[in-house]
Amino acid sequence: MNYRDALLQSGDDVQISLDVSPGSKKTVFPAGYNEWRNAIECRIKSPATEGKANAEIIKTIADYFSVKKSDVVIVSGAISGQKKIKISGVSLEDALERLLGDLGE
């Protein structure tokens, strides 16, 4: 599997493609890799109503990469399970190294 396909350097930021499953029993990131969608899987406990899942995604990603919540932005897919997020202050290499370590590569 090529997790790198889910990540993209964007200036000083990194963009990550996510395949989100809201309403899960517990929040897990990263929860695997969807090779059909070239996306990192993310399970969110919150339901996909009233922006609750999106808020939890932002908090979860910020905590994971040790950045402020304001450094994490959903750039596309706000009302979809397929999202692109942008993280400021994280390089592609750092994000990839961290994800590969946690995804078992």
Side-chain angles (χ1 to χ4, degrees):
M1 287 182 267
N2 191 359
Y3 304 116
R4 182 178 284 277
D5 291 342
L7 284 79
L8 173 69
Q9 187 77 48
S10 175
D12 293 334
D13 308 324
V14 66
Q15 286 191 16
I16 301 177
S17 297
L18 295 180
D19 185 17
V20 179
S21 300
S24 296
K25 289 188 180 191
K26 64 181 183 175
T27 297
V28 180
F29 177 82
Y33 180 73
N34 183 325
E35 56 188 290
W36 294 102
R37 296 184 180 190
N38 292 327
I40 305 295
E41 294 175 351
C42 180
R43 295 186 196 126
I44 296 296
K45 191 173 181 180
S46 296
T49 56
E50 300 171 5
K52 291 178 184 173
N54 286 344
E56 188 172 347
I57 289 165
I58 289 169
K59 180 186 181 318
T60 300
I61 299 295
D63 289 349
Y64 182 82
F65 287 106
S66 301
V67 298
K68 297 178 288 188
K69 288 193 293 185
S70 60
D71 290 333
V72 179
V73 177
I74 297 173
V75 293
S76 69
I79 58 172
S80 169
Q82 313 323 295
K83 300 185 186 301
K84 287 210 185 299
I85 59 162
K86 179 178 77 171
I87 308 166
S88 300
V90 176
S91 72
L92 177 65
E93 292 77 23
D94 290 344
L96 194 58
E97 183 177 317
R98 178 84 194 267
L99 288 166
L100 291 178
D102 287 343
L103 289 168
E105 281 291 308

